[in-house]
Amino acid sequence: MQRRRTLGLLTAAMLVGAAGCGSSDSGSGAASPAGGGKTTQVTVGIIPIIDVAPLYLGQKKGFFADRGIELKTVTAQGGAAIIPGVVSGQFQFGFSNTTSLMIAQTKGVPVKSVVNGAASNGKVGADVTGVLVKKDSSIKSAKDLAGHTVAVNTLQNIGSTTVRESVRKAGGDPDKVKFVELPFDQMPAALDGGRVDAAWMGDPAKSIAEQQGARSVASPFAETDPKLTVATYFTSTQITQRNPELVKKFTEAMAESLKYASQHPDEARQILTAYTKIDAGLLDTLTLPAWPAEVDTASLEKLASLGEQDGLFGDKKPDIQALFG
């Protein structure tokens, strides 16, 4: 049902066509491009997780303002919800996990990745996402997730696909895992309250759950591929055709932001307080993703193969080069 609802939203978005900018729940002050000139307001759909820290850090450092971009952000539960906003013109750019973009492309939704977003740090047991269980849970490894309920932020997407791969590699039956959908920020309470047996989450939710005593039993991203390209920033193909200069400026600003965040991890942690409710006392415990400048094509091909195995794309296959090249 969730998959049909998501595809319905994508189809509806395609019919809406280009529209004006939507309102945002957070934004920046007035931007003044270096050397003067016209300022363009750009709205970006994001998920309020640590992965997007470079965007906020780049905004604070003036990387977008220097290119004449006044950046505004709108939050959503996941990439599957952001894609319709980008295609309809509510957002000019969006942040999405790579599986959501693949699903959209195979359904004919006109999207194009423009710059990297986040990647696995490759550390099993200390990656940017993990499957967590209560301290006293009988679940000791990914294999034991079979027959239990696991929370993910979006059904039939990158979370469930990579969790299944962790279960498969550990010798369990991935088809016996029951997935339920919950926003990341609700997962620690749901896990602690016993409403789910396990939860796949990233920071800041992961650190909050660990503070409550939860422990990790799987690192789905790192176990799928230690260089897994997890998410990218994207736009509509209409914008790439009609306003390539804006795409170029956004891409440059975002690339500079990724580089800066990689070189200044403490600042990347600190910027989280600007757009999440995380306690400042948890900042030092947060697990950072990798923020490489380029996507890892081999990892995307592997993710696409797993998505096909899970039936995410129907009878079509994602064109990785066209989408991410």
Side-chain angles (χ1 to χ4, degrees):
M1 286 295 293
Q2 172 65 20
R3 186 180 176 198
R4 288 198 294 270
R5 179 170 67 84
T6 298
L7 296 180
L9 286 171
L10 295 174
T11 302
M14 292 176 66
L15 296 176
V16 170
C21 296
S23 60
S24 67
D25 60 1
S26 63
S28 65
S32 299
K38 184 179 179 180
T39 297
T40 301
Q41 186 180 99
V42 170
T43 305
V44 185
I46 60 96
I47 311 167
I49 55 178
I50 197 169
D51 300 45
V52 299
L55 177 78
Y56 285 90
L57 195 53
Q59 181 185 33
K60 180 180 179 181
K61 303 303 292 187
F63 301 153
F64 293 92
D66 287 347
R67 293 169 174 85
I69 294 176
E70 180 186 353
L71 198 65
K72 291 186 177 293
T73 57
V74 176
T75 59
Q77 184 170 325
I82 293 171
I83 291 171
V86 170
V87 176
S88 70
Q90 181 186 0
F91 318 138
Q92 285 69 57
F93 298 91
F95 176 89
S96 172
N97 76 69
T98 47
T99 295
S100 286
L101 292 175
M102 292 180 199
I103 293 172
Q105 186 202 51
T106 59
K107 300 304 174 185
V109 181
V111 291
K112 171 68 177 176
S113 174
V114 296
V115 65
N116 199 22
S120 168
N121 64 25
K123 300 175 183 177
V124 174
D127 199 8
V128 66
T129 68
V131 178
L132 276 69
V133 299
K134 292 184 70 171
K135 184 178 181 179
D136 59 356
S137 172
S138 62
I139 300 171
K140 305 300 181 183
S141 71
K143 179 181 179 179
D144 300 330
L145 292 172
H148 290 89
T149 302
V150 180
V152 292
N153 69 319
T154 306
L155 297 175
Q156 290 290 86
N157 212 286
I158 193 170
S160 56
T161 293
T162 55
V163 170
R164 285 191 183 102
E165 178 66 357
S166 288
V167 173
R168 188 179 293 114
K169 284 189 170 181
D173 185 349
D175 293 332
K176 291 185 178 179
V177 180
K178 181 182 178 182
F179 293 98
V180 296
E181 183 175 284
L182 279 177
F184 284 125
D185 61 1
Q186 293 180 20
M187 289 185 188
L191 183 62
D192 193 53
R195 297 196 298 277
V196 295
D197 300 317
W200 169 76
M201 63 183 98
D203 279 324
K206 184 163 73 73
S207 286
I208 293 172
E210 288 170 342
Q211 190 180 48
Q212 295 171 346
R215 55 184 173 80
S216 178
V217 296
S219 299
F221 287 165
E223 288 162 358
T224 296
D225 191 305
K227 295 183 179 180
L228 184 66
T229 295
V230 174
T232 66
Y233 292 88
F234 70 100
T235 189
S236 66
T237 55
Q238 185 179 55
I239 287 181
T240 64
Q241 294 164 3
R242 293 188 176 182
N243 203 339
E245 186 62 24
L246 177 62
V247 174
K248 180 175 180 290
K249 289 179 178 179
F250 178 85
T251 299
E252 289 175 348
M254 198 61 241
E256 186 174 5
S257 300
L258 291 166
K259 181 179 179 180
Y260 188 88
S262 296
Q263 295 174 344
H264 300 83
D266 289 341
E267 290 185 50
R269 293 175 190 276
Q270 190 63 43
I271 201 69
L272 268 178
T273 60
Y275 66 96
T276 73
K277 298 177 182 178
I278 191 166
D279 188 318
L282 289 177
L283 292 180
D284 290 340
T285 70
L286 297 177
T287 302
L288 299 182
W291 286 306
E294 304 293 334
V295 301
D296 186 273
T297 302
S299 74
L300 290 172
E301 294 284 2
K302 184 171 185 178
L303 189 61
S305 178
L306 291 174
E308 289 178 52
Q309 189 172 334
D310 286 345
L312 302 187
F313 310 126
D315 55 2
K316 291 188 176 181
K317 294 183 178 181
D319 186 335
I320 299 302
Q321 191 56 45
L323 182 57
F324 298 103

